[in-house]
Amino acid sequence: RIQILFEYGMIVLHVAEKNDAAKTISSILSRGTSSRREGRSVYNKIYSFPFQVFGSNCQNNMTSVAGHLMEYEFIGDYKKWQSCDPLSLFTCPIVKFVPEKMKKIKETLEAESRKAQKLVIWTDCDREGENIGQEIISVCTAVKPSLDVYRARFSEMTQRSIFSAVNSLSRLNVNLSEAVEARQELDFRIGCAFTRFQTMHLQKKFSDMISTVVSYGACQFPTLGFVVERYKEVQQFVAETFWKIKVSVEVENGETEFSWSRGRIFNQHACLILYQICLEEPTATVVNVSSRPKSKWRPVALETVQFEKMASRKLGLNAQRAMQIAESLYTKGIISYPRTETNKFPSSMNLSELVAKQQEHRDWGAFAGFVCESGPTPRQGNKSDEAHPPIHPTKCVTNLTGDDKKVYDFIARHFLACCSKDAKGTETTAEIDINGEKFTAKGLIILEKNYLEVYPYESWNAKLLPRMEVGQRFEPKSIEMVDGQTTSPPLLTEADLIGLMEKHGIGTDATHAEHIETIKNRNYVGLTPDKRFIPGQLGMGLVDGYDNMSFDIGMSKPDMRAATERELLLIIRGTKQRSQVVREMLERYKDVYVKAVREVRKLDQKLAEYFGRGPRGGGPGSGVGGGSNNDDDDDDDFPMGPKNVMVCRNCKTSDVVLKQTRNGSYILGCMGYPQCSASLFFPNYVISAKVTETKCTKCGPHPPFCLNFKFKPNSVPPTMSLDYIGCVLCDIELRDLFDVRKLVNPRKHAAVSQERGQYVTTLGVGTTLSATSRFNNHPTIPDTAVQPSLDNDTYLTRSLNGAVSVNNRPTTTTTVKPPGMMPGVNSTPISTSSSTPNCECGVPSKKLVVSKDGPNKGRQFHTCAQRTCKFFQWSEDQVSETSSSRHVQQFLPPPQSGENIVCTCGTAAVKLVVKKEGPNTGRWFYSCSARTCKFFLWADEEDSSSRNHNANLSNLGFVSGFNNNGTNGAGAGWGSNSARSSGTHQCGCGEPAVTRTVQKSGPNKGRVFWCCSKPVGDCNKCNFFQWDDDTDSSFTVTPSQRYKRPPPSTDFSGSQKPKAARLCSVCRQPGHRKPNCPLNN
């Protein structure tokens, strides 16, 4: 009893493609008793009715969508035309989402899905309908994954077809949907890339001629190519004069012309000789008379392409308008589904019933009765899509007007003509001889008109021939020599164009009209008064420009698109995967794009010919595809946006590009922003930065391009050239200069969901590549935080504003440096115990175990015992300072032993040699062996500078790890800053200064000066400067005169530094402001 109640209470949600279809289907299933209520969208109602589905009584709710529910879009900065090179659109991440105009429909589906147990898809039974059904499923199952989904298959809105569909529900054809997804992605990526390329380039070159979008489509351009090709044939046609002999014979109601067996000849003198021979003996002799039955075939069953062509030729309607009317008649249940490739009726179809319905019509009812009596015998074609029958009327209507009546009348008459019989007649052929020259004439007697009685769109006229017998002789009425000229082929009509598109596989029967309308709306083509296509200047220039490029297959030719359609058929048959087809076709079009960019001058030249003036600037567009980073671009004529540097190591999907901000500084940023906020800001002493054509040979598997930097004088260490080329990921000089640090324990940032055929790219948010303190904000990690494994390819610090977790895991943070640590020092604080590291508070941390289910369950980690700082470290990640610098050491030459130079870290420095071409080539210098501090010292300055430096290290509390004989002494470590010995000079920090020698060529070369002992690049380094030979010359240099970054606003732990107390503007004392100052009283 409980089971019966449950089954009776089951709710089934039905979804149609349009509201009219939902209304008609619900009316049929409920037999006119359905109730209507409003949905979230005012255009899509909900119809409710009880009906038996799946063998039980159910409550049924039927609603609808409005065509495709979802569409593709780029993410982040890829949406902006000027933000990226269009070449990147072939591979950048895309997302399929519900646009704003469809949000109300989506809300209706979600609300109804939550109440339903089963879902039935009633979209049109073709490729597009299958894909729309897949979109509906993805929305509904997102809120209720347990929803059981079925597919109703029907071809007409009749009671028989609808009840048959609901009683034989099946599952969705995923292959059909995948083929549509592949076509949509290809058209979206290819169209956007070429459209941006054409529009931005041509609008700048021909700004006074082109102000609108110059679009490209993989079907649109071949369609334009057909029009241009025929126009050129007409323009290049050269008429030729011909001559022929014409013989006329008198008959009862006029005369009959006999045609010369030679046809026509192009030699006037030869024709004149033959003509004179006929005149010498002008009597005609009948040499042959024959008669045979003749039939005019009735039309085959109507399919979409033939319907579009006939509507254009006979009804005066363009294909798009005709299809709109046909779809409207279909949703009203008047005709069958109009988008079909089938031109033969299935044997199971009851044609007699359909013909009998037409007996009620006043215009062709009698003819329909005649067909019923003799039995319908349709003329069958040879095509079938196995989904829909040919287009035919499903009921007899007499109340239509205007274009609706035109379309319905044609479909009904075509159906009756197809089911009727061929027209029959007798054809007589007579042949005569005039002095050796043969002439023939044909006559026709119509015996039965049959289908012609109901089908006025074709004619078959009788032609009288005089009664003749073999051997009969008579005098012709006239014998003439006439001339004429050959004529050019006519310009294409819409019917001709649709025929060419079908022949070459451009588009489908559902999209032919759409592509034709697109090239008309873009002003690529126009129409003559007799409705024939003629290309415009822009259309001619585009086709000729691309045809002049060195493509293996021209962009205006149908071959590439036809190949794509063939690949889509392989997806439908299940022999190829969608991803494989998309990847292969994108590679082909990407090669075409690269060639088009390289040879864009040819496009400019052709358009200049048609526009009557040269392109503005005259440049070839050398910046196309290369961004605006090339100073050699002759007029920066192609602002294609920044050039790609690498694939983002954070989100793994978007490109990282080099940009220039409004204030002139440079930044490396991920194009996936805001989904991915990876970025690296370069300091203001970088004069310029450009992307080179050289890829890094050390980074992989997707190596970045090297960057060419130009620095301000005296802003970088002497070992670096002011014009420097290197990789920001592995070049140690650049990593130290920009304070590029390695990202610890990054999470996985990208996930691709393909559940139920939906292709949505979801990006994690929040990793930032930073050289400033702006991004040093780290959230607290909970005790059960899940930490993914280390990604060795990901560098720099991390910002987590607006982060999105993957698989419901908390966002990962990095281990940060405690306050006061030198830049570049290992981020794990040095502790007194090798087993228990200290946290950022300076006290031993506590060890915990991950208890949350996941890949890290049971893994041990260290965190602050008092939960006052943000320290976090996996237990197995406790590494020494030496091991932490192993990645850096692999790029360094072997150290020189036996030296007694100690770096700022308190460890033995390494001796290296300058290899870069320049004034210091071959010169030896000392640097930190672990690459954790900024220590630098020329070897030839060792005698004077090293003593001062080592003394300063001792004052700072570092103990040298090496004694004077080179053996290892007391262990180096952090010491006290209080014990300081007085030096000869003190810097602004109150600490002993060190001496340096001017190396740069000029009047001061070789001169010794005093400066702060802190290493170059230390944010705490002061501005002290004094010449050694001038005790009164101490002064502070500006930041632009030396190598120093502005101090950060936060410390390395991420906490804000305390702000200075605000002072009164009168007495300069804290605690009050000017209005309350005692001095004012």
Side-chain angles (χ1 to χ4, degrees), residues 363-384:
D363 293 334
W364 54 77
F367 185 85
F370 169 76
V371 174
C372 285
E373 290 178 5
S374 58
T377 54
R379 182 185 172 200
Q380 304 281 50
N382 56 5
K383 295 191 301 182
S384 176

Side-chain angles (χ1 to χ4, degrees), residues 625-743:
S628 59
N629 298 314
N630 189 355
D631 291 337
D632 298 329
D633 290 354
D634 39 345
D635 61 344
D636 192 26
D637 75 306
F638 205 98
M640 294 304 294
K643 184 178 179 181
N644 298 342
V645 177
M646 64 181 124
V647 177
C648 182
R649 265 55 174 176
N650 172 31
C651 64
K652 314 296 185 186
T653 53
S654 301
D655 294 317
V656 173
V657 297
L658 178 64
K659 306 177 183 179
Q660 189 171 13
T661 62
R662 293 180 179 178
N663 61 7
S665 61
Y666 292 87
I667 175 179
L668 281 179
C670 178
M671 292 296 296
Y673 182 85
Q675 285 82 359
C676 175
S677 57
S679 58
L680 172 62
F681 291 83
F682 295 116
N684 57 5
Y685 54 78
V686 176
I687 300 175
S688 70
K690 295 188 296 185
V691 182
T692 67
E693 298 299 327
T694 305
K695 286 190 174 182
C696 179
T697 57
K698 298 177 182 178
C699 299
H702 302 289
F705 286 96
C706 292
L707 300 182
N708 184 6
F709 295 97
K710 290 184 180 180
F711 300 104
K712 292 181 180 180
N714 301 320
S715 63
V716 295
T719 54
M720 294 183 66
S721 169
L722 296 181
D723 190 347
Y724 192 89
I725 299 177
C727 170
V728 293
L729 293 188
C730 68
D731 190 295
I732 297 178
E733 296 288 353
L734 291 179
R735 290 183 57 199
D736 286 347
L737 182 64
F738 299 134
D739 198 17
V740 180
R741 297 179 294 277
K742 196 172 186 179
L743 180 65

Side-chain angles (χ1 to χ4, degrees), residues 1035-1054:
F1035 65 96
T1036 301
V1037 296
T1038 63
S1040 63
Q1041 293 175 304
R1042 60 178 179 78
Y1043 170 69
K1044 186 178 186 303
R1045 291 181 198 83
S1049 59
T1050 59
D1051 58 27
F1052 286 101
S1053 67

